[in-house]
Every structure is written in structure tokens, then in C-alpha cells.
Amino acid sequence: MGGPRRLLLVSNSTLHGGGYLGHCQQHIQSFLGQTVKRVLFVPYALHDRDAYARTAREKFESWGYGLDSIHESCDPVEAVRKSEAIFIGGGNTFRLLKALYDNCLIQEIRKRVLEDGIPYVGSSAGTNVATISINTTNDMPIVYPPSLQALGLVPFNINPHYLDPDVKSTHMGETREERIRQYHEEPNTPPVLGLREGAMLLVEGNKATLQGVTGARLFQRGKKPTEHEPGTDFSFLLIDSNLQNL
């Protein structure tokens, strides 16, 4: 049974002063609802997958959901095919994407989310891989996936943990905004949504809404960046980005 795509793309797993997923607990519970009983967790972004799974399992069980970690399955593809909902956690985006390719999960996850309509929750690296590519991740390329192309659940890119320039800083490296501008110097590059920590994007079918406690900064090739507060309707970003770059 299919349905519209349902995504909750969170900038970060932990917000300063809170615990793991504390700032987005109500959003995740509302998103998953009562029909989902078990969540498939993908811990590939961290090296210690067992410890990561224990942390996620403890949290989700405290909310009343069962949690299965895909790394504990002898058949990751079958685990995705049977999943009721998917949660991909944060860590190193290159490590995560490589593992998704290595385990032949890219097309399987796309099918479950885009065709079958199961809920997808991503945090940080898990949000990065939900987009067109991981070109706008903040992470170091500690491993090499076969491609930077990601799940493509939305037709744009996201920069999680987006940081505004600090006018008092003496640091001479590029700001996040400068790095995204460099990305847009290349042709046919899609919009980039800079999600500040505490922000998240809810996608339900063809509607996308900014949620959370902080805003976001939108970068589009050839245009000035724009500021957006929680509640902003970003549905226009769900239009194929190729049309936006003509």
C-alpha cells in the first residue's frame, strides 16, 4: 500500500542543554504516530554501531516504539523491505553513504519511502543522505563512497548544523555561507537549505514546512540568500530543481 512521501529531516540529534533527540522528541512522536510500532535504525554513520544502536533503542523504547538496528540483520535489504519506518542517525556522512551503497540499500530505501510511503526520519548525516547529494555536508571524506549522489528523497540539498558567520571571530577560513556559494559557482547545482541546530523540515507529499525552534537560510544559485523562520512553507523546493536552475 503506497502513500505520499513522509520525511522529517532534523538538523542535529542533540541540542545544547538537552539530551539525545530531546529537542525533537515531540516532532518525531507526532510524525510516527501510533500506527508505527517498530522503527528500523541505520547506525552506519558511526564506527561503534552496537553502542549507537543501544542509545537509539533506549530512546525510542522510552517513547513506546520498538527499534531494530539494520546492522544486526543478516539481510539489510530484507530489513528495509519489511520496515514500518526508517531512522538514519548522524555521524560521518561519507561513511554512511558508502555503507548504504555497499549494502545495496539506495534503491531499496527510495522505493520504501517514495513508492510505499513509509515514514523516514533523518538526523544530521541522515538528513544529508535524504537529499540529492552529500556535496554540502560539513564532514571530512574519511572514506570514499562510489558516488556523492544520495537517496534523492527531495530535489535539493541541505546543510545541517548551519552556522552563521561570527563577526567577532578572527578565524580566516571560509564561512559556511562562502562554502555554499562556492558550491553554487558550479553549473546546475540545486538549492541548499541551511538548517540551523534546532531546526527541521517536515515533508508530507508535496508540502514542506520548516519546524523547530530556530530558522533556516536558503541558498539558490544566482540569488541572494534568504532568511526563514519556523513555519515557513518550503513546498516550492519540492519542484524539480532542474527547472529552478534554467
Side-chain angles (χ1 to χ4, degrees):
M1 182 174 67
R5 64 181 157 188
R6 299 189 64 238
L7 319 172
L8 184 63
L9 306 177
V10 185
S11 177
N12 54 300
S13 301
T14 305
L15 192 62
H16 180 71
Y20 178 65
L21 299 179
H23 70 289
C24 53
Q25 173 180 341
Q26 292 183 349
H27 294 276
I28 294 175
Q29 289 179 289
S30 174
F31 177 70
L32 294 177
Q34 298 181 350
T35 57
V36 171
K37 303 301 181 184
R38 303 194 68 83
V39 174
L40 181 64
F41 177 55
V42 180
Y44 292 152
L46 290 187
H47 177 71
D48 191 341
R49 297 172 178 176
D50 290 335
Y52 202 4
R54 283 194 298 271
T55 298
R57 182 173 286 120
E58 179 180 339
K59 181 59 65 175
F60 274 80
E61 287 182 349
S62 74
W63 300 342
Y65 299 102
L67 184 138
D68 302 301
S69 185
I70 197 169
H71 84 288
E72 297 168 346
S73 173
C74 60
D75 189 343
V77 169
E78 187 64 19
V80 169
R81 290 175 178 171
K82 292 181 176 180
S83 61
E84 299 176 48
I86 295 173
F87 170 44
I88 302 188
N92 185 278
T93 310
F94 291 91
R95 173 186 279 151
L96 169 59
L97 186 60
K98 183 178 186 300
L100 293 178
Y101 274 109
D102 289 349
N103 288 284
C104 303
L105 296 176
I106 297 291
Q107 293 305 319
E108 294 296 335
I109 293 175
R110 278 182 55 82
K111 180 182 183 300
R112 290 296 284 142
V113 176
L114 296 181
E115 296 181 24
D116 300 338
I118 70 165
Y120 176 102
V121 180
S123 177
S124 190
T127 287
N128 263 322
V129 297
T131 68
I132 289 181
S133 73
I134 65 168
N135 288 80
T136 55
T137 179
N138 306 309
D139 298 332
M140 291 185 178
I142 60 173
V143 295
Y144 296 99
S147 171
L148 297 182
Q149 297 298 302
L151 293 168
L153 305 180
V154 292
F156 56 91
N157 277 355
I158 288 177
N159 177 246
H161 306 274
Y162 178 76
L163 283 174
D164 295 292
D166 183 356
V167 294
K168 297 180 181 179
S169 175
T170 58
H171 179 65
M172 296 303 292
E174 297 99 335
T175 64
R176 195 71 57 79
E177 181 166 326
E178 287 171 336
R179 290 178 175 177
I180 295 173
R181 189 183 306 126
Q182 290 170 355
Y183 172 64
H184 278 149
E185 288 171 351
E186 298 300 317
N188 302 315
T189 42
V192 178
L193 186 62
L195 284 181
R196 295 185 178 88
E197 294 194 346
M200 62 202 80
L201 189 71
L202 174 65
V203 177
E204 295 180 304
N206 292 319
K207 184 174 179 60
T209 309
L210 183 64
Q211 297 190 338
V213 296
T214 56
R217 194 161 174 83
L218 177 63
F219 300 86
Q220 299 182 83
R221 189 172 188 269
K223 299 180 180 180
K224 291 184 177 180
T226 52
E227 276 294 319
H228 301 273
E229 296 299 317
T232 298
D233 185 343
F234 278 121
S235 302
F236 67 93
L237 288 178
L238 297 176
I239 300 171
D240 191 313
S241 60
N242 289 326
L243 299 177
Q244 299 180 30
N245 288 317
L246 293 178

